[in-house]
Amino acid sequence: MRTVAVVGASLSGLYAARELRAQGFDGRLVIVGEETHRPYDRPLLSKDFLTGRAGEDQLALTDPDDLAGLGAEWLLGVRARGLDTRGRSVLLEDGRTVPTDGVVIATGATARRLPGDSPAGVHTLRTLDDARALRADLTRGPSRVVVIGGGFIGAETASSCALLGHAVTVVEAAPLPLVAHLGADMAAVCAALHRRGGVHLVTGTGVAGLRGTGRVSGVDLTDGRTLPADVVIVGIGTTPNTSWLTGSTLARHDGVLCDGGCATGLPQVVAVGDVARVGGVRAEHWTSATEQPRVAVANLLAGRTLHTLRTVPYFWSDQYGSRLQFAGRWREGDTVRVTEGDLTADDPGESGFLARYERDGRTVAVLAVDRPRPFTRARRELGREEGRVQPAVP
């Protein structure tokens, strides 16, 4: 390979570029990014950046030495519009073409929006520009904020808005926030965190529409109620950025379909991060974006799948002064057992706890609230049991 193009100047794209150099690729390296910014740390957007505790300079994932070491050509502020598999080229929206021998797809995902046009004051939070706009809106003065969606982004953003002194309501269609990720028992703990933070939680109902013409004034719920709102934050999930691959022969279904080694059905094309469905799973977590590139690049340079990625899923979330950490794979019917801390108190998350999800006599997942050391030990146990990178089955 003489040229490799990384499409997506994201966290996973940056890690892929680093891996290319670390694994001996010394050819031309081109990094294409839709945003004008170099790679930055997205998790801080809903927390320290939104509350003003971190500036834009603290979001950067690269420094001058890192950039020099990569020796890459950065094409920022331009979208990829196609992948010419016959000509082995990446086509850009500005008319340029990047001939390449290998491609790493790292185009990430886009925040879903409500149907129809939205008035001013309605935000999503996915990019730095999104965070800039939301932060500017929140500094206008005390506001009535409605967060649509009680997932990780919704909960973290609600926590930050409450910390800034706004009156916050979270609307979640499910019976409990994060119930699909944690199960009913532990999702109840997350509901308690909202209450501890002074945030009103509305569950079991959806959003029928928004009120306001020039600027949003309210949120209509499907149960007939209307919530007054000066600012609305939509956190209802993401859509993987695969539309630019229309016309290629790459298989796509809620992401780019890959084998267990991040390799697609096309030779010399791999995918990583939020856009990649690896072994049937699309995991939108920081650890996935940083762990997948090592295996993906190894297989890209080898020209075939030599390794598969076997990691224990892991994510964390900072909400209302507490850190939630989860590792493993749970499913309905697993027994949840608290091994440290107490869930019988009025506020079960106040003193922290560690819970184990058990199936057939063994631990399959762990959840901790403010118990980092016990969680780290439990996560290592899960990792030793499942293994990490293993040779592909011939």
Side-chain angles (χ1 to χ4, degrees), residues 31 65 74 78-79 83 92 135 141 143 182-183 188 190 219 229 240 245 273 277 309 315 325 336 341 357 369 382-383:
I31 303 175
D65 291 338
W74 294 82
V78 59
R79 295 180 59 184
L83 180 62
L92 305 183
R135 189 164 77 166
S143 301
L182 304 177
C190 295
V219 177
L245 296 167
R277 180 167 285 276
L309 188 71
F315 60 81
Q325 294 172 284
V336 182
Y357 294 70
V369 175
L382 288 173

Side-chain angles (χ1 to χ4, degrees), residues 253-266:
H253 179 69
D254 187 36
V256 177
L257 301 186
C258 306
D259 65 13
C262 302
T264 72
L266 291 177

Side-chain angles (χ1 to χ4, degrees), residues 47-71:
K47 299 182 277 286
D48 289 359
F49 180 78
L50 202 58
T51 58
R53 290 177 295 186
E56 292 187 18
D57 57 330
Q58 294 168 273
L59 301 178
L61 290 170
T62 56
D63 57 35
D65 291 338
D66 188 23
L67 294 177
L70 285 178

